[in-house]
Amino acid sequence: MRTKLVAGNWKMNTTPEEGQKLASEVVNMVKDELNREVQVVLAPPFTHLHQVSRLIGDAKHITLAAQNVSEHEKGAYTGEISVGMLKAVGVKWVILGHSERREYFKESNQQLAKKLDAVLAGGLQPIFCCGEPLEVREKEDQNGYVQRQLEESLFHLSEEQMRKVVIAYEPIWAIGTGKTASDEQAQEMHAHIRQQLAGKWGQNLANEIRILYGGSVKPDNAKNLFAKPDVDGGLVGGASLKSRDFMDIIKGAI
Ligand code: PGA
Protein backbone atom coordinates (compact mmCIF):
# COMPACT_ATOMS: atom_id res chain seq x y z
CA MET A 1 0.00 0.00 0.00
CA ARG A 2 1.32 3.41 -0.96
CA THR A 3 0.67 6.11 1.65
CA LYS A 4 -0.97 9.08 -0.03
CA LEU A 5 1.00 12.32 -0.01
CA VAL A 6 -0.30 15.86 -0.47
CA ALA A 7 2.25 18.65 -0.87
CA GLY A 8 1.58 22.38 -0.84
CA ASN A 9 3.90 24.38 -3.08
CA TRP A 10 3.57 27.99 -1.97
CA LYS A 11 5.86 29.21 -4.78
CA MET A 12 6.96 32.86 -4.31
CA ASN A 13 3.97 33.81 -2.17
CA THR A 14 3.35 35.01 1.41
CA THR A 15 5.27 37.35 3.67
CA PRO A 16 6.91 35.66 6.66
CA GLU A 17 3.91 36.72 8.80
CA GLU A 18 1.40 35.33 6.31
CA GLY A 19 3.45 32.17 6.02
CA GLN A 20 3.49 31.74 9.77
CA LYS A 21 -0.29 32.13 9.94
CA LEU A 22 -0.87 29.72 7.05
CA ALA A 23 1.49 27.08 8.43
CA SER A 24 0.02 27.22 11.94
CA GLU A 25 -3.51 26.92 10.56
CA VAL A 26 -2.53 23.88 8.52
CA VAL A 27 -0.67 22.28 11.44
CA ASN A 28 -3.71 22.75 13.69
CA MET A 29 -6.23 21.51 11.15
CA VAL A 30 -4.15 18.44 10.41
CA LYS A 31 -3.88 17.75 14.13
CA ASP A 32 -7.63 18.11 14.66
CA GLU A 33 -9.02 16.60 11.48
CA LEU A 34 -6.60 14.02 10.13
CA ASN A 35 -6.73 10.67 11.83
CA ARG A 36 -5.69 8.49 8.91
CA GLU A 37 -2.32 7.93 7.30
CA VAL A 38 -1.74 10.74 4.79
CA GLN A 39 1.59 12.50 4.51
CA VAL A 40 1.36 16.28 4.27
CA VAL A 41 4.31 18.30 2.98
CA LEU A 42 4.65 22.09 3.12
CA ALA A 43 6.98 23.85 0.68
CA PRO A 44 7.27 27.53 1.67
CA PRO A 45 9.83 29.96 0.25
CA PHE A 46 13.42 29.56 1.51
CA THR A 47 13.16 32.57 3.84
CA HIS A 48 10.30 30.94 5.77
CA LEU A 49 11.77 27.45 6.15
CA HIS A 50 13.28 27.91 9.57
CA GLN A 51 10.15 29.40 11.05
CA VAL A 52 7.79 26.86 9.44
CA SER A 53 10.07 24.06 10.60
CA ARG A 54 9.69 25.24 14.19
CA LEU A 55 5.93 25.53 13.79
CA ILE A 56 5.69 21.99 12.48
CA GLY A 57 7.82 20.74 15.36
CA ASP A 58 7.09 17.07 15.82
CA ALA A 59 3.54 17.27 14.44
CA LYS A 60 2.40 13.93 13.13
CA HIS A 61 1.82 13.63 9.39
CA ILE A 62 3.54 16.93 8.39
CA THR A 63 7.04 17.49 7.03
CA LEU A 64 8.90 20.33 5.36
CA ALA A 65 10.08 20.75 1.76
CA ALA A 66 12.16 23.27 -0.17
CA GLN A 67 11.14 24.32 -3.66
CA ASN A 68 14.60 23.97 -5.18
CA VAL A 69 18.25 23.34 -4.27
CA SER A 70 21.69 23.70 -5.80
CA GLU A 71 23.44 20.65 -7.19
CA HIS A 72 26.66 21.95 -5.60
CA GLU A 73 27.76 21.28 -2.06
CA LYS A 74 29.18 24.75 -1.32
CA GLY A 75 31.28 27.53 -2.75
CA ALA A 76 31.05 30.49 -5.10
CA TYR A 77 27.47 30.08 -6.34
CA THR A 78 25.88 33.42 -5.49
CA GLY A 79 22.21 33.17 -4.69
CA GLU A 80 22.15 29.39 -4.34
CA ILE A 81 21.18 27.21 -1.37
CA SER A 82 22.77 23.83 -0.63
CA VAL A 83 21.36 20.52 0.58
CA GLY A 84 23.34 20.90 3.83
CA MET A 85 21.74 24.29 4.51
CA LEU A 86 18.27 22.88 3.98
CA LYS A 87 18.94 19.93 6.27
CA ALA A 88 20.18 22.25 8.98
CA VAL A 89 16.78 23.96 9.15
CA GLY A 90 14.74 20.76 9.23
CA VAL A 91 13.90 20.24 5.56
CA LYS A 92 13.15 16.64 4.56
CA TRP A 93 12.03 16.99 0.92
CA VAL A 94 13.03 19.01 -2.13
CA ILE A 95 10.80 19.72 -5.11
CA LEU A 96 12.93 19.32 -8.22
CA GLY A 97 12.25 20.14 -11.85
CA HIS A 98 9.06 22.11 -11.41
CA SER A 99 8.01 23.35 -14.85
CA GLU A 100 8.51 26.95 -13.71
CA ARG A 101 12.14 26.14 -12.89
CA ARG A 102 12.54 24.40 -16.22
CA GLU A 103 10.96 27.25 -18.17
CA TYR A 104 12.19 30.42 -16.43
CA PHE A 105 15.51 29.16 -15.07
CA LYS A 106 16.33 26.79 -17.91
CA GLU A 107 16.85 23.72 -15.74
CA SER A 108 17.54 20.80 -18.05
CA ASN A 109 16.97 17.10 -17.55
CA GLN A 110 20.76 16.73 -17.22
CA GLN A 111 21.06 19.40 -14.53
CA LEU A 112 18.13 17.83 -12.70
CA ALA A 113 19.93 14.48 -12.71
CA LYS A 114 22.75 16.18 -10.80
CA LYS A 115 20.34 17.85 -8.37
CA LEU A 116 18.74 14.45 -7.72
CA ASP A 117 22.17 13.01 -6.93
CA ALA A 118 22.94 15.85 -4.50
CA VAL A 119 19.59 15.55 -2.73
CA LEU A 120 19.82 11.78 -2.37
CA ALA A 121 23.46 11.86 -1.30
CA GLY A 122 22.52 14.34 1.41
CA GLY A 123 19.74 12.13 2.73
CA LEU A 124 16.79 14.26 1.60
CA GLN A 125 13.92 13.02 -0.56
CA PRO A 126 13.14 14.48 -3.97
CA ILE A 127 9.69 15.22 -5.36
CA PHE A 128 10.60 15.07 -9.02
CA CYS A 129 8.25 16.95 -11.37
CA CYS A 130 7.61 16.04 -14.96
CA GLY A 131 4.92 16.94 -17.47
CA GLU A 132 4.32 18.15 -21.00
CA PRO A 133 3.46 21.57 -22.46
CA LEU A 134 0.22 22.15 -24.34
CA GLU A 135 1.71 21.85 -27.84
CA VAL A 136 3.05 18.40 -27.02
CA ARG A 137 -0.34 17.29 -25.65
CA GLU A 138 -2.02 18.62 -28.81
CA LYS A 139 0.28 16.43 -30.92
CA GLU A 140 -0.42 13.51 -28.56
CA ASP A 141 3.29 13.16 -27.89
CA GLN A 142 2.97 13.44 -24.11
CA ASN A 143 3.98 9.85 -23.33
CA GLY A 144 7.27 10.10 -25.19
CA TYR A 145 7.97 13.55 -23.75
CA VAL A 146 7.52 12.48 -20.14
CA GLN A 147 9.40 9.24 -20.79
CA ARG A 148 12.40 11.28 -21.95
CA GLN A 149 12.27 13.42 -18.80
CA LEU A 150 12.32 10.27 -16.66
CA GLU A 151 15.07 8.60 -18.67
CA GLU A 152 17.38 11.60 -18.68
CA SER A 153 16.96 12.60 -15.04
CA LEU A 154 16.14 9.42 -13.14
CA PHE A 155 17.29 6.34 -15.00
CA HIS A 156 20.86 6.49 -13.68
CA LEU A 157 19.62 5.96 -10.11
CA SER A 158 20.07 2.68 -8.27
CA GLU A 159 17.06 0.78 -6.99
CA GLU A 160 17.83 1.92 -3.48
CA GLN A 161 18.01 5.57 -4.52
CA MET A 162 14.85 5.34 -6.60
CA ARG A 163 12.89 4.07 -3.60
CA LYS A 164 13.34 7.54 -2.04
CA VAL A 165 11.89 9.42 -5.02
CA VAL A 166 8.34 10.71 -5.32
CA ILE A 167 7.24 11.69 -8.83
CA ALA A 168 4.81 14.51 -9.54
CA TYR A 169 3.12 14.55 -12.93
CA GLU A 170 2.15 18.13 -13.71
CA PRO A 171 0.89 18.81 -17.22
CA ILE A 172 2.06 22.38 -17.83
CA TRP A 173 -1.22 23.37 -19.46
CA ALA A 174 -3.00 22.63 -16.18
CA ILE A 175 -0.73 24.59 -13.82
CA GLY A 176 -2.31 27.75 -12.47
CA THR A 177 -4.76 27.80 -15.36
CA GLY A 178 -7.81 26.40 -13.62
CA LYS A 179 -7.77 23.69 -16.31
CA THR A 180 -7.31 20.32 -14.62
CA ALA A 181 -6.40 17.14 -16.46
CA SER A 182 -9.41 14.85 -16.37
CA ASP A 183 -9.23 11.97 -13.92
CA GLU A 184 -8.78 9.68 -16.91
CA GLN A 185 -5.96 11.74 -18.45
CA ALA A 186 -4.16 11.76 -15.09
CA GLN A 187 -4.64 8.02 -14.58
CA GLU A 188 -3.48 7.26 -18.12
CA MET A 189 -0.22 9.18 -17.67
CA HIS A 190 0.40 7.86 -14.16
CA ALA A 191 0.00 4.30 -15.43
CA HIS A 192 2.40 5.10 -18.26
CA ILE A 193 4.96 6.48 -15.79
CA ARG A 194 4.61 3.42 -13.57
CA GLN A 195 5.12 1.20 -16.59
CA GLN A 196 8.37 3.04 -17.39
CA LEU A 197 9.54 2.54 -13.80
CA ALA A 198 8.66 -1.16 -14.01
CA GLY A 199 10.59 -1.50 -17.27
CA LYS A 200 13.68 -0.01 -15.65
CA TRP A 201 13.58 -1.25 -12.03
CA GLY A 202 10.98 -4.02 -12.03
CA GLN A 203 7.31 -4.16 -11.13
CA ASN A 204 7.80 -4.44 -7.37
CA LEU A 205 9.69 -1.20 -7.13
CA ALA A 206 7.29 0.50 -9.55
CA ASN A 207 4.42 -0.45 -7.28
CA GLU A 208 6.10 1.25 -4.32
CA ILE A 209 6.75 4.63 -5.95
CA ARG A 210 4.28 7.39 -5.31
CA ILE A 211 3.14 9.42 -8.29
CA LEU A 212 1.37 12.69 -7.44
CA TYR A 213 -0.81 14.71 -9.76
CA GLY A 214 -0.37 18.49 -9.96
CA GLY A 215 -2.14 21.21 -11.92
CA SER A 216 -5.17 23.12 -10.58
CA VAL A 217 -5.97 20.61 -7.86
CA LYS A 218 -8.89 22.06 -5.87
CA PRO A 219 -11.15 20.87 -3.06
CA ASP A 220 -13.84 19.90 -5.58
CA ASN A 221 -11.68 17.77 -7.88
CA ALA A 222 -9.14 16.28 -5.47
CA LYS A 223 -11.16 13.32 -4.29
CA ASN A 224 -11.88 11.96 -7.75
CA LEU A 225 -8.32 12.47 -8.92
CA PHE A 226 -6.86 10.79 -5.83
CA ALA A 227 -9.30 7.90 -6.20
CA LYS A 228 -7.63 6.78 -9.44
CA PRO A 229 -5.52 3.67 -8.87
CA ASP A 230 -2.19 5.20 -9.91
CA VAL A 231 -2.71 8.69 -8.42
CA ASP A 232 -1.09 8.72 -4.99
CA GLY A 233 -1.86 12.28 -3.95
CA GLY A 234 -1.18 15.76 -5.24
CA LEU A 235 1.21 18.66 -5.59
CA VAL A 236 -0.93 21.72 -4.96
CA GLY A 237 -0.03 25.31 -5.85
CA GLY A 238 -2.65 28.05 -5.60
CA ALA A 239 -5.08 26.14 -3.40
CA SER A 240 -2.37 25.42 -0.81
CA LEU A 241 -2.31 29.13 0.08
CA LYS A 242 -5.71 28.87 1.75
CA SER A 243 -5.58 26.61 4.77
CA ARG A 244 -9.23 25.49 4.53
CA ASP A 245 -8.95 24.63 0.84
CA PHE A 246 -5.67 22.81 1.38
CA MET A 247 -7.12 20.82 4.27
CA ASP A 248 -10.15 19.86 2.18
CA ILE A 249 -7.79 18.66 -0.55
CA ILE A 250 -5.85 16.62 2.03
CA LYS A 251 -9.12 15.06 3.11
CA GLY A 252 -9.69 14.05 -0.50
CA ALA A 253 -6.79 11.65 -0.02
CA ILE A 254 -8.38 9.82 2.90
P1 PGA B 1 -1.55 24.99 -9.24
O1 PGA B 1 0.03 24.71 -9.25
O2 PGA B 1 -2.15 24.06 -8.24
O3 PGA B 1 -1.68 26.43 -8.85
O4 PGA B 1 -2.03 24.72 -10.64
C1 PGA B 1 0.52 23.41 -9.14
C2 PGA B 1 2.02 23.44 -9.17
O5 PGA B 1 2.59 24.25 -9.92
O6 PGA B 1 2.69 22.68 -8.43
Coordinates of all heavy atoms in Angstrom, one line a residue, residues 19 40 59 66 86 95 105 110 116 128 140 147 157 190 197 207 223 229:
G19 N 3.0 33.6 6.1 CA 3.4 32.2 6.0 C 3.3 31.5 7.4 O 2.9 30.4 7.5
V40 N 1.5 14.9 4.7 CA 1.4 16.3 4.3 C 2.7 16.9 4.2 O 3.5 16.8 5.2 CB 0.4 17.0 5.2 CG1 0.3 18.5 4.8 CG2 -0.9 16.4 5.3
A59 N 4.9 17.6 14.9 CA 3.5 17.3 14.4 C 3.5 16.0 13.6 O 4.4 15.8 12.7 CB 3.0 18.4 13.6
A66 N 11.7 22.1 0.5 CA 12.2 23.3 -0.2 C 11.7 23.2 -1.6 O 11.4 22.1 -2.1 CB 13.7 23.3 -0.1
L86 N 19.7 23.3 3.8 CA 18.3 22.9 4.0 C 18.1 21.9 5.1 O 17.2 22.0 6.0 CB 17.7 22.2 2.7 CG 17.7 23.1 1.5 CD1 17.1 22.4 0.3 CD2 16.8 24.4 1.7
I95 N 11.5 19.8 -3.8 CA 10.8 19.7 -5.1 C 11.8 20.0 -6.2 O 12.6 21.0 -6.1 CB 9.7 20.8 -5.2 CG1 8.6 20.5 -4.1 CG2 9.0 20.8 -6.6 CD1 7.5 21.6 -4.0
F105 N 14.1 29.2 -15.5 CA 15.5 29.2 -15.1 C 16.3 28.1 -15.8 O 17.4 27.7 -15.5 CB 15.6 28.9 -13.6 CG 14.8 30.0 -12.8 CD1 13.5 29.7 -12.4 CD2 15.3 31.2 -12.6 CE1 12.7 30.7 -11.7 CE2 14.6 32.2 -12.0 CZ 13.3 32.0 -11.5
Q110 N 19.4 17.1 -17.6 CA 20.8 16.7 -17.2 C 21.1 17.4 -15.9 O 21.7 16.8 -15.0 CB 21.8 17.1 -18.3 CG 21.7 16.3 -19.5 CD 20.5 16.5 -20.4 OE1 19.9 17.5 -20.4 NE2 20.1 15.5 -21.2
L116 N 19.2 15.7 -8.4 CA 18.7 14.5 -7.7 C 19.9 13.8 -7.0 O 19.7 13.3 -5.8 CB 18.2 13.5 -8.8 CG 16.7 13.8 -9.1 CD1 16.4 13.4 -10.6 CD2 15.8 13.1 -8.2
F128 N 10.1 14.8 -7.7 CA 10.6 15.1 -9.0 C 9.4 15.3 -10.0 O 8.6 14.5 -10.2 CB 11.4 13.9 -9.6 CG 11.9 14.1 -11.0 CD1 12.9 14.9 -11.3 CD2 11.2 13.4 -12.0 CE1 13.3 15.1 -12.6 CE2 11.6 13.6 -13.3 CZ 12.6 14.5 -13.6
E140 N -0.3 14.8 -29.2 CA -0.4 13.5 -28.6 C 0.9 12.8 -28.4 O 1.1 11.6 -28.5 CB -1.4 12.6 -29.3 CG -2.8 13.2 -29.3 CD -3.8 12.3 -30.0 OE1 -3.5 11.2 -30.4 OE2 -4.9 12.8 -30.2
Q147 N 8.5 10.4 -20.8 CA 9.4 9.2 -20.8 C 10.8 9.7 -20.9 O 11.7 9.3 -20.1 CB 9.1 8.3 -22.0 CG 9.8 7.0 -21.9 CD 9.2 6.0 -22.9 OE1 8.0 6.1 -23.3 NE2 10.1 5.2 -23.5
L157 N 19.7 6.2 -11.5 CA 19.6 6.0 -10.1 C 19.6 4.5 -9.8 O 19.0 3.7 -10.6 CB 18.4 6.6 -9.5 CG 18.3 8.2 -9.6 CD1 17.0 8.6 -8.9 CD2 19.5 8.8 -8.9
H190 N -0.2 8.5 -15.4 CA 0.4 7.9 -14.2 C 0.7 6.4 -14.4 O 1.7 5.9 -14.0 CB -0.5 8.0 -12.9 CG -0.5 9.4 -12.4 ND1 -0.4 9.7 -11.0 CD2 -0.5 10.6 -13.0 CE1 -0.4 11.0 -10.8 NE2 -0.5 11.6 -12.0
L197 N 8.8 2.9 -15.0 CA 9.5 2.5 -13.8 C 9.7 1.0 -13.7 O 10.8 0.5 -13.4 CB 8.9 3.1 -12.5 CG 8.6 4.6 -12.4 CD1 7.9 4.9 -11.1 CD2 9.8 5.4 -12.6
N207 N 5.6 -0.5 -8.1 CA 4.4 -0.5 -7.3 C 4.6 0.3 -6.0 O 3.6 0.7 -5.4 CB 4.0 -1.9 -6.9 CG 3.4 -2.6 -8.1 OD1 3.1 -2.0 -9.1 ND2 3.4 -3.9 -8.0
K223 N -10.7 14.7 -4.7 CA -11.2 13.3 -4.3 C -11.2 12.4 -5.5 O -10.7 11.2 -5.4 CB -12.5 13.4 -3.6 CG -12.8 12.1 -2.8 CD -13.9 12.3 -1.8 CE -14.1 11.1 -0.9 NZ -12.9 11.0 0.0
P229 N -6.4 4.6 -9.5 CA -5.5 3.7 -8.9 C -4.0 4.1 -8.9 O -3.3 3.7 -8.0 CB -5.7 2.4 -9.7 CG -6.6 2.8 -10.9 CD -7.3 4.1 -10.5

